[in-house]
Amino acid sequence: SLQLLQEMDWKNFQELCAHYYESLGYITKTITAGEGNDIDIYLYTKDKPNKVFGVIKCKSWRKLLGVNLVKALFTAQSDKKAPLAVFFSTTGFSKAAISFCDNKHLKLISGKQLLEQINTLSLETQEQLLK
């Protein structure tokens, strides 16, 4: 439920986002607190496990996320030369943050959208993610 998602601590939310991408067939590497501020998860494809495919940021906040956090992820994406960036938020994003992502390979995914995506997975995978 959205309520459960919004009550998660940051570490559990980060792990959920990583496991979600693993369920889609990607390899993930989560970053521990203090290692990097702008990236929480590195995403790799199975055919190129040593080349960063995507960078992911996860925020378990109770307010809409602003454009500055999104810009920081975009900068990290450029620095890593990653074709994809994804920002997960348990709530959502400001209009300025959404506008900033126009014409960029940077996806913003709210808690509601994440739940919708999880609901398209098999029941077995959904139960694994819940655990």
Side-chain angles (χ1 to χ4, degrees):
S1 72
L2 187 57
Q3 180 180 350
L4 175 64
L5 193 68
Q6 292 175 343
E7 290 174 357
M8 283 184 169
D9 68 20
W10 69 270
K11 185 64 178 165
N12 286 334
F13 185 59
Q14 178 188 30
E15 289 174 5
L16 172 65
C17 295
H19 291 305
Y20 169 72
Y21 267 98
E22 288 169 4
S23 75
L24 298 177
Y26 292 94
I27 300 167
T28 64
K29 177 187 173 197
T30 54
I31 304 303
T32 58
E35 279 188 52
N37 293 331
D38 298 326
I39 299 171
D40 292 327
I41 303 166
Y42 287 99
L43 193 63
Y44 304 88
T45 59
K46 291 191 178 190
D47 62 329
K48 294 183 182 177
N50 296 318
K51 184 176 183 199
V52 175
F53 175 73
V55 291
I56 300 172
K57 185 71 179 167
C58 310
K59 283 287 185 191
S60 178
W61 285 4
R62 297 200 184 270
K63 61 182 182 177
L64 296 179
L65 299 182
V67 69
N68 289 340
L69 291 169
V70 175
K71 284 181 178 179
L73 179 60
F74 182 69
T75 299
Q77 176 189 14
S78 297
D79 291 348
K80 297 294 181 185
K81 296 178 177 57
L84 176 69
V86 180
F87 205 130
F88 287 98
S89 164
T90 53
T91 51
F93 300 89
S94 70
K95 288 180 182 179
I98 294 167
S99 294
F100 176 79
C101 293
D102 286 346
N103 301 315
K104 295 178 178 70
H105 294 284
L106 197 164
K107 295 181 182 181
L108 302 180
I109 301 176
S110 69
K112 181 181 175 187
Q113 292 167 317
L114 176 58
L115 287 175
E116 289 170 358
Q117 292 177 2
I118 288 172
N119 285 332
T120 66
L121 302 173
S122 71
L123 286 177
E124 180 182 338
T125 301
Q126 290 179 42
E127 289 173 2
Q128 290 172 350
L129 290 173
L130 181 61
K131 289 178 187 177

